[in-house]
Amino acid sequence: MVKFSVIVTVYNKQDYIERCLISYAKQDYKHKQLIIVDNGSTDDSLRIIKETIQTHEIHDVALVTCDVSKNVSVSRNAGLEKVTGDWCLFLDGDDYIQEHALRLWGVLAEMTDSPIMMSRMQKSHNVKPLEELNLRTSRWTAENLVKAMKRHSVAGVLYRKDFIDCFELSFKESRHYYADDGFTIDALKVASQVSYINLPLYIKGECYDPIQQPSLNIEPFSNKIEEWLRFFKQVMEDGCLEKNGWLRTELEEWFLKVYFQELADYRNHVLFKQYFTQIQSGLALVREDTIRKRGWLGRKQIATHLKGSQASACKWIDRRLNANQWRNGFKSRTKLYQQISRVWFHRRPLKKKRVLFESFGGKTYACNPRYIYEELQKNDDSYECIWAFNQPKDKDIPGKHRKVKRLSLKYYYYAATSQYWVMNARKEKTLDKRADTIYVQTWHGTPLKRLAADMKEVKMPGTSTTAYKRNFYEETQSWDYLISPNMYSSKIFRRAFNFTKEMLDIGYPRNDLFYDPAKTDMSNIQRLKQRLNIPSNKKVVLYAPTWRDDEFYARGRYKFEVKLDLREMQARFADEYVVLLRMHYLIADNLDVDGLEGFVYNVSDYDDIAELYLISDVLITDYSSVFFDYANLKRPIVFYTYDLDKYRDDLRGFYIDFAAEAPGPLLETSEQVMDALENIESVSAEFEQKRDDFYNQYCHLDNGQASRHVVERVFKK
Ligand code: C2G
């Protein structure tokens, strides 16, 4: 039986290191040694490491600590010095290994002569337990040198210790970025094969903060360019390389990939000029055979670069990128419209006073955009207002406006030529903002649950934490104004959205109506009730919960099961109340209210929830920002938080001490909710002080003037 030495390198991984070490401790394989190199962490990592070693009774441990943090090569070399096993595995502190991983590698080690072993790697947001994977279908292949090269990291790769010693392999400590590549290439030059298990035994943690703390591989290329060029030259000029045709080809392919993908973005940057001749020397090392595999435009670009004309090289880059964009355009309709916008619409002049409005991705005529639109139209018909809706025919809205189908070609045209955009959620990704378009982002609520950069881990479908946060960052950087409902939100928005431009701390336009006597007046309330066919003599309970990140059918389509016992409610309250069920706009489930007619009303399709607040006497909600708005009315609120621990601790995390600040009781069962409703007057009285405190803290800017402020500070500036 072989012995494994697992080398864990750590630098400030307090949130992930325990998961990593536990995955080691749980291995059902005895012959192992743990080597931990803490590279001068300044957070709590070291304490957690020591504690985990103790609580999980991990034996045969070597813990190396450094006072000052050095680069990862220094850590990996320090780890290698402590190895007592036959094989070593590099495990990064924010990654972990699957149960049985060492046992499976152990089986492979007995079967193979190759000095390197690997397995499939999987991202941590997409992990399936090993039991669900059929071990028998796993392919144990041996010719995997190229795969090892393409990984560009030693994490999750196992090396035989005598092989490392024999060829004196080590990490070049002068390299900051390409040290793992250097090690891998040195090993592959002398290894005849790599063995591979086709199972995801190694789980790669994500880069959880790609903006403030990007991992080495997602750092901007501008930081790496110099080392990259030096590194490529060094490895290509290494005498041993010539013998290995495949490795040379791989390196050349990699060089061209970086040249086409990363460098192209810098064509108009001073770096391109600065490194032009060095890139040229790099290109000169690439053999004709490898260049020939590239498309015509790529070959032209290389040829002009080699000839030494910087301006024409840039021109060819532009042509190639343009061709790629058209090619992408034929992959989806929105990408095609994006390309048409770039080429034609963006060249048209901006239309002064044209304003594009959009609320909740075209689903509603509601929220802040609605009230800004209505204010803008007051006494001034000189603005050309365009409303984008998913179903424009279904929307009958007041005022002078034009409706456009969201994501249609017309929509891209109007967006490209509008002077202003007013939206309350992120824009469609393929909509490019022109530099002189003024983008007013209103957002859609005071945050209770953590937002964007403040989220620890993103658990939504079809994305990863890294991708979600990067996309969010790109979006927020395009906002020119951001409206904030209260000073508490302003502080969070600045940080979570990385927003540095003008924040309008003016309260929410969508809450203006609470301060308008014509809207809060009984006759208006009766009129709204009539519109919904609600009996005028009944009191109204509004149930408006939020969505759960991890319960979904697909991207943007979430599940929700109403956990209130509506039949029991009907039996107890039908004489006095009606219940309005209002699902969040991301919920795709259709509610079944059969048999509850006259008592339960499904108002999920009603455009503006603010009008539902006006007509309701009690609000039941959970973690939705609706209660921050509803607090303006100082009416009773009950929280039905049956999954509080999971929502707060696993899914999102909260900004405030919810239990301490909530302006109403937090209840776990349907029974408790009904009892609270039964005694709503005493419950309400009990929370009066908390409701006032809450109002002062979160509604202090709302005074009915927010829409007017937006118009004055943005449009009439
Ligand atoms: N909303 C609604 N009906 C619901 C829940 C929400 O109409 N049942 C509307 C409200 O206007 C609410 C907004 O959607 O303020 C945002 O909903 P949240 O439940 O708070 O959830 P989310 O969309 O994740 O936004 O900063 C706020 C956060 O980003 C929350």
Side-chain angles (χ1 to χ4, degrees), residues 360 364 367 424 443-451 472 489 493 497 508 510 543-547 549 581-587 604 606-610 612-613 621-629 647 652 655:
F360 295 121
T364 61
C367 195
N424 72 345
W443 204 238
H444 48 266
T446 294
L448 164 70
K449 40 196 187 187
R450 288 183 173 272
L451 279 176
F472 226 115
S489 299
F493 287 171
F497 294 148
Y508 255 2
R510 70 180 184 187
Y543 179 42
T546 195
W547 55 294
D549 306 42
L581 291 187
R582 164 68 175 203
M583 293 304 106
H584 188 274
Y585 53 90
L586 292 176
I587 301 296
S604 302
Y606 192 83
D607 262 359
D608 194 354
I609 193 172
L612 302 176
Y613 300 149
T621 186
D622 46 19
Y623 327 105
S624 176
S625 60
V626 298
F627 65 91
F628 290 97
D629 300 321
Y647 198 98
R652 276 292 182 110
Y655 285 116

Side-chain angles (χ1 to χ4, degrees), residues 113-179:
D113 289 335
S114 64
I116 306 174
M117 295 192 290
M118 282 170 67
S119 74
R120 198 137 55 84
M121 184 181 259
Q122 202 166 51
K123 292 272 171 68
S124 62
H125 64 277
N126 197 17
V127 180
K128 290 188 186 65
L130 222 46
E131 309 86 80
E132 278 182 27
L133 301 159
N134 188 348
L135 293 191
R136 272 169 307 169
T137 62
S138 164
R139 281 182 292 119
W140 308 70
T141 48
E143 292 296 329
N144 292 293
L145 294 152
V146 176
K147 266 194 195 114
M149 165 69 215
K150 284 200 164 133
R151 188 164 278 189
H152 296 297
S153 165
V154 295
V157 185
L158 295 101
Y159 290 89
R160 237 176 41 213
K161 177 67 165 70
D162 56 3
F163 172 75
I164 291 180
D165 291 343
C166 173
F167 293 99
E168 294 176 359
L169 299 178
S170 70
F171 294 84
K172 300 264 175 316
E173 300 190 356
S174 58
R175 282 186 192 141
H176 184 68
Y177 294 107
Y178 299 99

